[in-house]
Amino acid sequence: MKEIILAKYGEIALKGENRSTFEDILTRNIKRRLKNLGSFQLSRRQSTIYIEPLDDGDVDAAVEALKCVFGIGAIQRCAVFPKDFETVTENLSYLKSALDTAKTFKVEAKRSDKSFPMKSPEIQQRLGDAVLDAFPHLGVDVHTPDVTVRLEIRDNGAYLSAERIIGAGGMPVGSSGKALLMLSGGIDSPVAGYMMAKRGLIVDCIHYVSPPYTSERARLKVEKLCELMTGYCGDIRFYCVPFTEIQEALRDNCPEEHFTVLMRRMMVKIANKICSRDGYGAIITGESLAQVASQTLPALYCTNAAAEFPVFRPVIGMDKIEITEISRRIGTFETSILPYEDCCTVFSPKHPRTRPKFEDILAAEGAYDFDSMIDEAISKTEMKRFKYGEETVFLD
Ligand code: ATP
Ligand code: MG
């Protein structure tokens, strides 16, 4: 009996003429994910990528990895047979592990090969009877079964399965271009990166550090987050920008109450230049409206005005609880809550202005030559690459 994984398209299935471009990217992304899991042969037809393990292909591990690949709507693990109903019913033992622990089931049949002699209702009926014979402890429940047994009669075979997993959804990473995520060590920004990768963006990360005010450990924590994000985002380029001198200049030359917004404008100005230089089409942040003083509407206005690229803030309308839920689900939460400092908290004013006036901000910023400091910081920026599947050990 041969086992195969079907990766069924999510939104790509709705695409028209340019669909094959999206399929190519999804296929490439799947190949990259499976690279270290043995050999697989991929082919595609009928809105599905067929992933067939060759001798050493690890199907369990492949299913796990595919759960994180954007563009896949559903993952189905199937046994594949010739299109002969008797052969299928003789091999129902394939369903054993799923059905032994179940109490109820139903059958769903789909016949996309219309030349197959039985119609779907008849397949459902007869397969249901055969399942009941083979697993007499089961009852039928067509509304909320424990297990749905599926038989699909496709162009190239009959596919039997008892396992359909909801995929990561969204669009394949790389199909929407690339953007630069401002990644702090917190909970929100990794979630923001995940959400935009889900819309097909390649997400690379920029992080600002202020040694000695921020520690090496704090930076390593952010690098760890990058590594974790590769599970969904694929390979990530990481820019680490030295921010100490700019922060000290802000502290020494600008009104304290404006420090937070001015600092955020500096971050955005640096991101602008890196976007222009390296071809990013947008900036992503983990800002959430009203969460902290820098995320009030007037503060966001001031920060946003420094941006020369679209700024995507996918968590802007989400509560911390909702963001945290996603963070747990994607596996970044435990690292995000490690208690290391961020440069945002360095020199942060006791009473930041929650309603900064844009003219005041511009006046404060104009009092010093920050432009050359920005160029200097960019010239000293370090760059690393995090590759999916390559674990880096940073933290105990
Ligand atoms: P997070 O949103 O990741 O939990 P946070 O809640 O501490 O961080 P802020 O400090 O207000 O939020 O930062 C808001 C956003 O600004 C972050 O989501 C992130 O996009 C960006 N940001 C903050 N600090 C940094 C940093 N050191 N490097 C890069 N981006 C940063
Ligand atoms: Mg936040």
Side-chain angles (χ1 to χ4, degrees):
M1 195 183 322
K2 191 165 178 53
E3 199 173 34
I4 190 170
I5 305 167
L6 304 185
K8 301 194 170 180
Y9 298 166
E11 249 181 86
I12 299 179
L14 308 173
K15 296 287 170 194
E17 272 174 25
N18 56 355
R19 182 163 137 171
S20 68
T21 315
F22 294 94
E23 293 179 298
D24 288 345
I25 298 172
L26 179 58
T27 308
R28 190 191 63 206
N29 291 352
I30 291 177
K31 280 187 182 155
R32 282 191 188 155
R33 293 309 165 94
L34 302 183
K35 200 177 66 191
N36 300 326
L37 308 176
S39 327
F40 294 87
Q41 186 169 320
L42 271 63
S43 56
R44 54 188 203 221
R45 51 168 82 190
Q46 297 178 295
S47 294
T48 302
I49 298 185
Y50 292 69
I51 302 161
E52 194 176 329
L54 305 176
D55 345 316
D56 61 340
D58 182 342
V59 176
D60 291 333
V63 168
E64 278 313 302
L66 291 171
K67 285 181 191 170
C68 301
V69 176
F70 292 126
I72 299 178
I75 302 159
Q76 225 165 294
R77 198 172 168 154
C78 313
V80 57
F81 303 105
K83 285 184 272 186
D84 164 43
F85 190 71
E86 269 62 47
T87 310
V88 174
T89 53
E90 281 159 18
N91 284 285
L92 292 180
S93 58
Y94 173 68
L95 304 173
K96 191 169 172 8
S97 60
L99 292 181
D100 269 355
T101 51
K103 289 200 174 74
T104 58
F105 81 106
K106 76 168 178 181
V107 173
E108 267 181 17
K110 200 168 156 194
R111 187 185 60 133
S112 44
D113 171 7
K114 301 295 179 205
S115 69
F116 190 73
M118 289 158 67
K119 291 196 170 141
S120 300
E122 187 187 351
I123 301 175
Q124 265 159 220
Q125 177 71 47
R126 287 183 51 190
L127 184 58
D129 290 345
V131 170
L132 281 172
D133 284 346
F135 302 92
H137 71 283
L138 287 176
V140 174
D141 180 347
V142 290
H143 300 296
T144 50
D146 294 338
V147 173
T148 300
V149 172
R150 294 188 168 82
L151 184 63
E152 294 186 33
I153 310 295
R154 294 181 154 242
D155 290 351
N156 47 346
Y159 292 80
L160 177 69
S161 78
E163 195 182 346
R164 175 188 268 179
I165 300 160
I166 296 173
M171 299 300 295
V173 168
S175 62
S176 300
K178 62 177 191 172
L180 193 58
L181 168 67
M182 289 173 50
L183 181 66
S184 71
I187 295 170
D188 307 324
S189 43
V191 171
Y194 157 86
M195 290 174 76
M196 296 319 302
K198 186 170 183 176
R199 297 311 305 160
L201 283 172
I202 290 171
V203 173
D204 287 335
C205 297
I206 184 165
H207 177 63
Y208 305 85
V209 289
S210 291
Y213 307 103
T214 61
S215 65
E216 178 70 0
R217 292 229 129 194
R219 184 174 63 84
L220 292 177
K221 165 184 166 176
V222 176
E223 293 191 9
K224 182 72 190 173
L225 286 171
C226 265
E227 185 199 306
L228 293 171
M229 287 172 66
T230 62
Y232 283 97
C233 301
D235 297 353
I236 290 178
R237 190 192 277 196
F238 175 72
Y239 298 88
C240 190
V241 186
F243 205 49
T244 316
E245 284 168 18
I246 290 177
Q247 286 198 298
E248 286 175 341
L250 284 170
R251 175 196 61 189
D252 297 341
N253 297 285
C254 302
E256 186 189 301
E257 60 180 356
H258 293 320
F259 178 87
T260 311
V261 165
L262 288 170
M263 179 193 64
R264 307 196 62 76
R265 283 176 56 85
M266 294 298 144
M267 288 183 173
V268 169
K269 286 183 174 198
I270 291 171
N272 283 335
K273 291 203 166 186
I274 292 188
C275 285
S276 300
R277 189 191 68 189
D278 294 351
Y280 296 98
I283 295 169
I284 304 167
T285 79
E287 288 159 318
S288 163
L289 189 62
Q291 193 185 77
V292 284
S294 63
Q295 292 164 36
T296 63
L297 207 47
L300 284 171
Y301 179 90
C302 295
T303 309
N304 200 64
E308 290 164 13
F309 287 81
V311 180
F312 296 151
R313 301 179 173 90
V315 304
I316 194 76
M318 292 169 73
D319 292 354
K320 198 78 187 182
I321 293 176
E322 293 170 304
I323 302 170
T324 302
E325 260 171 29
I326 299 180
S327 158
R328 283 185 195 278
R329 181 159 55 75
I330 65 174
T332 51
F333 180 75
E334 295 301 331
T335 303
S336 287
I337 58 171
L338 292 173
Y340 300 118
E341 63 294 324
D342 183 65
C343 71
C344 279
T345 49
V346 175
F347 319 128
S348 92
K350 279 204 189 68
H351 302 292
R353 282 288 280 268
T354 53
R355 312 184 131 268
K357 287 209 176 69
F358 189 45
E359 314 82 77
D360 297 346
I361 295 293
L362 288 184
E365 200 174 283
Y368 195 79
D369 177 17
F370 286 105
D371 285 348
S372 56
M373 298 192 86
I374 286 172
D375 290 338
E376 172 91 5
I378 291 173
S379 73
K380 291 184 183 155
T381 292
E382 283 174 30
M383 214 183 69
K384 274 193 180 175
R385 195 166 254 293
F386 291 89
K387 286 195 165 291
Y388 170 73
E390 285 178 18
E391 194 168 338
T392 337
V393 178
F394 297 114
L395 299 166
D396 4 273

